[in-house]
Amino acid sequence: MNFLRLLCACLLLSSAGAAAQSIDDGSTFTDAESEIRAVISDYFWGRQAGDPEQLGRAFNLDNGQFAYVRRTDDGDSVVAMSLADFAARADGPLASPNDGRILSLDIVGDQMAFVKFELAGETRTFIDYFVLYQVNG
């Protein structure tokens, strides 16, 4: 099984304040789970390092959208961009690193997976939702 890069990601601000754990807790996983975790790891560490190349390994840059909710005093708005544009925006390490952990990983059949991922920073916690598809596998 060769789970491919992320085709869709949605980043939402969460009110959760729980402490996060490492992206890899040392558990034993199936091959499919390990491949999916490798994709999420490229996303997490690429984001931490601000490395467009590593973020590009996490995403199928030719497809999909990245979207998030921007909260301001004037209200909320949805910001969307291509995955290629999102990866290209990485411009160096985060000033304040985040902790990350997979909250849930659901594999549907042998071609699709859904991942709920928590990014906990010093002042905010984000929840990312990923949809992964196996293409030509």
Side-chain angles (χ1 to χ4, degrees):
M1 208 176 293
N2 182 13
F3 271 91
L4 276 180
R5 308 293 132 192
L6 305 171
L7 291 177
C8 176
C10 181
L11 177 66
L12 299 174
L13 182 61
S14 169
S15 60
Q21 301 171 354
S22 168
I23 191 168
D24 182 6
D25 65 5
S27 299
T28 303
F29 306 108
T30 67
D31 288 344
E33 288 170 327
S34 294
E35 290 174 22
I36 292 164
R37 287 175 179 275
V39 170
I40 300 301
S41 182
D42 275 337
Y43 164 74
F44 176 76
W45 292 111
R47 188 177 176 285
Q48 294 293 329
D51 182 349
E53 184 177 320
Q54 189 166 17
L55 277 170
R57 286 195 306 263
F59 297 116
N60 178 335
L61 297 178
D62 296 329
N63 297 292
Q65 293 285 310
F66 183 89
Y68 63 95
V69 175
R70 177 179 291 153
R71 295 193 172 180
T72 66
D73 292 338
D74 296 329
D76 297 347
S77 62
V78 176
V79 178
M81 66 192 76
S82 72
L83 292 176
D85 288 344
F86 171 73
R89 290 177 59 178
D91 61 356
L94 296 176
S96 176
N98 294 291
D99 290 321
R101 68 179 173 150
I102 292 174
L103 299 176
S104 65
L105 190 161
D106 297 317
I107 299 173
V108 181
D110 60 356
Q111 288 192 292
M112 184 184 295
F114 298 93
V115 177
K116 182 178 179 182
F117 185 73
E118 178 183 72
L119 288 166
E122 288 182 11
T123 60
R124 295 185 294 184
T125 297
F126 295 90
I127 302 295
D128 291 352
Y129 293 91
F130 299 100
V131 179
L132 292 85
Y133 295 95
Q134 181 185 23
V135 179
N136 299 326

